[in-house]
Amino acid sequence: MWRRPALFSYWIPSYLCTASSNYIDLHVHHLHRQVKEGDTSKQVRPFITFVLGGPGSGKGTQCAKIAETFGFAHLSAGELLRKEISSGCENGEMILDIIKEGNIVPSEITINLIRKEIELSENRKILVDGFPRTNENRIAFESIIGVEPDLVIFFDCPEEEMVKRLLSRNQGRIDDNIETIKKRLEVFDKLNLPVINYYSSKGKLQKIKAVGTMEDIFEKVYPVFASLRFE
Ligand SMILES: Nc1ncnc2c1ncn2[C@@H]1O[C@H](COP(=O)(O)OP(=O)(O)OP(=O)(O)O)[C@@H](O)[C@H]1O
Ligand SMILES: O=c1ccn([C@@H]2O[C@H](COP(=O)(O)O)[C@@H](O)[C@H]2O)c(=O)[nH]1
Ligand SMILES: [Mg+2]
């Protein structure tokens, strides 16, 4: 059923990382330019950044700023799942039940949605907001899509602050109530922190303390992206 899409079979355009000593030495594994003459941009492997953090840590807010400032495409896994629910597709009801409980949707569903968006996008610089949620998600992404992320951002925010933000978000989300928030926080600790630790051990993680105003936090995000060079 799953195939490795052709668009991922070429490497990214060459880029240089000029990270200063304050920022991780990005272990960019794909520095070799293997794009053949005449290849179109669609065939160039995208630069993938996973953006992780607890519920309400500010992933969506900061991704919007990164997208605007640095020209990334912003794909939110949660948004894609919510769109599936509103589209009334066959999986909609099941996805709704899982989100209401703060649980994790099966990997194949989420990855299929992310894959389609990447394929549709002309942009080769991609932010994947809120994915992978579990090590199982991560392994499935690597095996189905056939690539690892180039960079992983983790917005580290105290629980109390996350709860406060979620309870005043007022976007009508079915999961922004205190019972579901508690469950989402438990699921984050149990299933998402191991993913974050995994990327830390691989030298791909940029941890950003997500306290202060949105602007304060973006000041810490900015140099991470400003240090990347794309051709
Ligand atoms: N630094 C900040 N200070 C105060 N409020 C913030 C800050 N950053 C974001 N918010 C607000 O907190 C709420 C949650 O932010 P956001 O939606 O970006 O978080 P998220 O990590 O994407 O959450 P979720 O995982 O639930 O999708 C929003 O209402 C947003 O406007
Ligand atoms: O990869 C994913 C991403 C999200 N979910 C489910 O959606 C909700 C909301 O996600 P946000 O990132 O907070 O918008 C999340 O609590 C999960 O239930 C998922 O299953 N897999
Ligand atoms: Mg979000």
Side-chain angles (χ1 to χ4, degrees):
M1 173 184 180
W2 293 98
R3 66 189 170 87
R4 230 169 244 203
L7 81 113
F8 294 119
S9 57
Y10 295 90
W11 292 123
I12 54 170
S14 63
Y15 59 87
L16 296 170
C17 170
T18 55
S20 76
S21 55
N22 285 339
Y23 300 97
I24 58 165
D25 172 19
L26 290 175
H27 291 278
V28 176
H29 300 286
H30 312 307
L31 279 171
H32 302 292
R33 190 181 176 113
Q34 298 186 357
V35 180
K36 295 174 189 142
E37 285 295 312
D39 282 345
T40 67
S41 62
K42 269 287 197 187
Q43 292 169 312
V44 173
R45 180 194 178 283
F47 182 93
I48 294 183
T49 301
F50 286 161
V51 180
L52 303 178
S57 58
K59 301 179 293 297
T61 304
Q62 295 299 323
C63 280
K65 285 176 172 287
I66 299 163
E68 191 189 354
T69 310
F70 295 103
F72 276 67
H74 173 195
L75 313 186
S76 158
E79 268 319 314
L80 292 172
L81 292 168
R82 286 186 283 277
K83 271 196 210 150
E84 276 296 273
I85 297 170
S86 348
S87 76
C89 74
E90 54 172 344
N91 288 323
E93 234 169 273
M94 185 249 285
I95 298 172
L96 176 64
D97 288 343
I98 292 172
I99 289 182
K100 257 200 257 177
E101 295 302 316
N103 286 324
I104 305 301
V105 172
S107 294
E108 281 201 1
I109 293 179
T110 316
I111 293 169
N112 197 18
L113 295 171
I114 294 171
R115 181 176 60 78
K116 275 193 217 148
E117 288 296 306
I118 296 177
E119 283 178 349
L120 283 174
S121 177
E122 290 296 320
N123 198 333
R124 302 289 80 197
K125 295 189 289 179
I126 311 275
L127 298 171
V128 183
D129 165 1
F131 180 92
R133 297 300 247 251
T134 67
N135 265 326
E136 196 270 323
N137 272 176
R138 173 182 69 71
I139 292 162
F141 182 90
E142 287 168 6
S143 105
I144 291 165
I145 307 288
V147 291
E148 290 185 18
D150 299 284
L151 172 64
V152 180
I153 307 284
F154 165 39
F155 289 109
D156 184 22
C157 189
E159 247 183 55
E160 205 183 89
E161 174 66 18
M162 293 195 280
V163 173
K164 195 171 91 187
R165 289 181 192 173
L166 292 175
L167 290 176
S168 49
R169 180 154 56 185
N170 281 330
Q171 285 176 3
R173 272 178 55 165
I174 193 87
D175 52 352
D176 278 351
N177 60 79
I178 193 61
E179 285 74 30
T180 314
I181 290 170
K182 279 186 193 155
K183 185 69 201 296
R184 290 159 72 196
L185 288 166
E186 277 170 29
V187 168
F188 172 74
D189 284 350
K190 191 169 161 211
L191 301 176
N192 206 205
L193 281 179
V195 177
I196 289 162
N197 292 336
Y198 170 83
Y199 286 125
S200 175
S201 75
K202 298 277 270 183
K204 292 192 175 186
L205 194 79
Q206 279 282 15
K207 177 168 156 174
I208 290 175
K209 197 91 197 131
V211 288
T213 65
M214 298 171 198
E215 292 73 26
D216 291 339
I217 297 162
F218 191 61
E219 267 181 37
K220 297 182 229 174
V221 169
Y222 185 94
V224 175
F225 287 88
S227 70
L228 301 172
R229 295 282 177 274
F230 299 91
E231 271 179 12

